[in-house]
Amino acid sequence: MGSQVKPDLAAASDLVLDRAEAVPALIGRHEDFLIVAALGGTASDVGAVTGDAAHVYSLGGAMGATCMMGLGLALARPEARVLAVTGDGDLLMNLGALATIAVMNPPNLAILCIDNGHYGETGWQKSHTSLGVDLEKIAIGSGIRRTMTVKRADDLEAGARLLRDGNGSAFVLARVKPTEPPRFQRNFDAAFQRDRFRSSLRDKASARARP
Amino acid sequence: MNEASIVKGGWQNELYDLLRRHSVTQFAYVPDAGHQILIDRSLADPEVKSIPLTTEEEGVALIAGADLGGARAVLLMQSSGVGNCINMLSLIKGGRFPFVTLVSMRGDFGEGNPWQFAMGQATQPVLEAMGVICLRVERPEEVVDTTVAALTMAFKGGQAVAVLLTQKLIGAKPF
């Protein structure tokens, strides 16, 4: 958490997007999605957009879980649009999930990877994506057909569109500066979040069923 | 797998029908001979999603995601895959997600491959250490009752349960 160590921004000069601007622009109207957010800075990026909300399941551990939780949710709720917001570290821990998602290819699943090239939680060590690994190429090689890398402000609109497009699973890699995530008091109660998420979906379903 | 069960596929078919009666609609698996009939039936069933995994921990996270959406998923794996799941089970325990896995055992009764023993013998202790209740099955006539118990404990009782299909039940792979 909030370490004293700072990343070397000059060494990461190819990263120009500010996460605090890029993430809200890419997600847009967050109520349109059911969201799973990865542990660490990613959960704060999402929380700053959504607040502590019933349609967001925010992870505080289980690194590597995000994309596969998104897949299970997308298969369970084909009528909803599911957004899995992962980070470079979370995704690197379970790259095989991209292969599994490509094989299943649910049209209602979008993955947004906030890639700052660093492990911000543990002291800003470089991740593999600062050392030559390209996660979009891995997504393409895994068989995900709709992918994009967002690097500059000009790319944000197209990235946001791809996340909402329902024509097969989508993968958007947002390359952002390695800066502190927005301040957000995350909810760490995993069981409370589960109950709240499920009840809110049930309430929506019964509201729809009413004449 | 012993010959009788290959010929008849008896309890395996009953097991699949049972899971379907209990509204399981997502079958996640890493390919495994012990689960072949379940895997094949899920692939042939248009009413369910059959999800091949690259590693078993993907299935743990998938089950949690399915539950968020109100669906029931099961994870079919071999005991060696249990070791790949351990930290991901934090999600199940912390979130109190109902969890059912069917584990075909290796490194167990009559095993001839020395590589299988380390994880085979550790399977039950590590599952229990992560809060997963283990129910062992040794005889074909116990499979259905044990799985009904597991489904009740998970989907009514909110627990994480592993049904361990022992090598006494499925037979040891010849080496």
Side-chain angles (χ1 to χ4, degrees):
Chain A
M1 301 293 291
S3 74
Q4 300 306 305
V5 189
K6 295 287 175 205
D8 182 356
L9 282 171
S13 59
D14 60 318
L15 302 175
V16 297
L17 273 179
D18 186 335
R19 64 199 294 172
E21 289 161 22
V23 176
L26 287 165
I27 295 179
R29 223 183 83 91
H30 62 84
E31 297 90 343
D32 296 343
F33 296 102
L34 299 177
I35 300 176
V36 181
L39 77 175
T42 311
S44 298
D45 286 325
V46 172
V49 175
T50 62
D52 180 22
H55 64 293
V56 181
Y57 194 89
S58 176
L59 289 151
M63 192 163 178
T66 316
C67 293
M68 286 303 295
M69 280 189 83
L71 177 62
L73 180 55
L75 295 176
R77 290 275 166 177
E79 78 290 356
R81 186 108 194 113
V82 174
L83 178 64
V85 190
T86 179
D88 47 321
D90 182 68
L91 184 54
L92 283 163
M93 190 159 280
N94 216 338
L95 285 172
L98 293 175
T100 300
I101 287 166
V103 166
M104 299 308 292
N105 196 28
N108 59 329
L109 175 62
I111 301 164
L112 169 59
C113 179
I114 311 300
D115 177 7
N116 65 6
H118 290 76
Y119 293 97
E121 286 282 303
T122 54
W124 295 102
Q125 300 88 349
K126 283 182 180 176
S127 81
H128 293 49
T129 66
S130 286
L131 303 166
V133 172
D134 183 330
L135 290 169
E136 189 201 1
K137 285 187 182 153
I138 293 178
I140 293 168
S142 299
I144 296 180
R145 285 190 287 277
R146 300 167 58 259
T147 71
M148 181 181 174
T149 295
V150 170
K151 280 187 179 162
R152 346 201 139 261
D154 292 355
D155 304 329
L156 288 168
E157 204 184 315
R161 262 203 311 275
L162 191 58
L163 292 175
R164 286 162 178 275
D165 214 357
N167 188 24
S169 297
F171 178 86
V172 172
L173 182 70
R175 299 276 283 156
V176 300
K177 282 189 287 193
T179 51
E180 290 288 347
R183 282 186 188 283
F184 177 72
Q185 189 59 49
R186 280 182 275 153
N187 187 327
F188 280 95
D189 189 333
F192 169 77
Q193 289 193 73
R194 169 187 179 252
D195 292 341
R196 182 176 62 177
F197 196 105
R198 286 168 51 91
S199 335
S200 130
L201 282 183
R202 275 198 302 268
D203 293 347
K204 272 186 207 154
S206 53
R208 269 199 305 272
R210 262 175 234 135
Chain B
M1 200 180 296
N2 62 47
E3 226 169 281
S5 58
I6 290 172
V7 174
K8 291 193 292 183
W11 61 262
Q12 288 95 337
N13 278 311
E14 276 182 66
L15 191 51
Y16 187 79
D17 295 335
L18 173 70
L19 293 168
R20 292 293 293 118
R21 279 201 305 279
H22 281 77
S23 307
V24 173
T25 54
Q26 296 188 24
F27 291 78
Y29 62 91
V30 172
D32 173 59
H35 289 309
Q36 193 171 349
I37 291 173
L38 285 182
I39 293 169
D40 288 348
R41 290 223 25 213
S42 73
L43 283 166
D45 185 345
E47 305 288 310
V48 307
K49 299 291 181 185
S50 184
I51 303 124
L53 310 169
T54 70
T55 174
E56 292 80 357
E57 68 177 303
E58 289 175 9
V60 179
L62 179 101
I63 285 178
D67 174 79
L68 285 183
R72 292 180 174 181
V74 294
L75 171 57
L76 312 176
M77 63 176 157
Q78 197 178 95
S79 49
S80 29
V82 168
N84 295 344
C85 295
I86 299 306
N87 184 54
M88 203 61 90
L89 288 167
S90 317
L91 172 62
I92 301 300
K93 189 171 187 182
R96 294 204 289 272
F97 287 95
F99 177 80
V100 176
T101 181
L102 305 180
V103 181
S104 61
M105 292 300 298
R106 298 292 309 271
D108 186 28
F109 189 84
E111 177 67 57
N113 179 352
W115 290 82
Q116 290 289 348
F117 281 97
M119 194 61 235
Q121 290 299 306
T123 292
Q124 187 162 349
V126 297
L127 282 170
E128 287 172 350
M130 290 306 292
V132 180
I133 299 166
C134 294
L135 305 176
R136 294 180 75 87
V137 185
E138 301 200 330
R139 294 141 56 93
E141 59 271 27
E142 294 168 353
V143 173
V144 165
D145 284 355
T146 307
T147 309
V148 169
L151 293 166
T152 305
M153 291 157 81
F155 295 122
K156 292 203 171 120
Q159 301 300 303
V161 187
V163 176
L164 306 183
L165 304 169
T166 64
Q167 280 180 299
K168 225 176 225 181
L169 173 75
I170 58 181
K173 190 173 172 182
F175 276 92

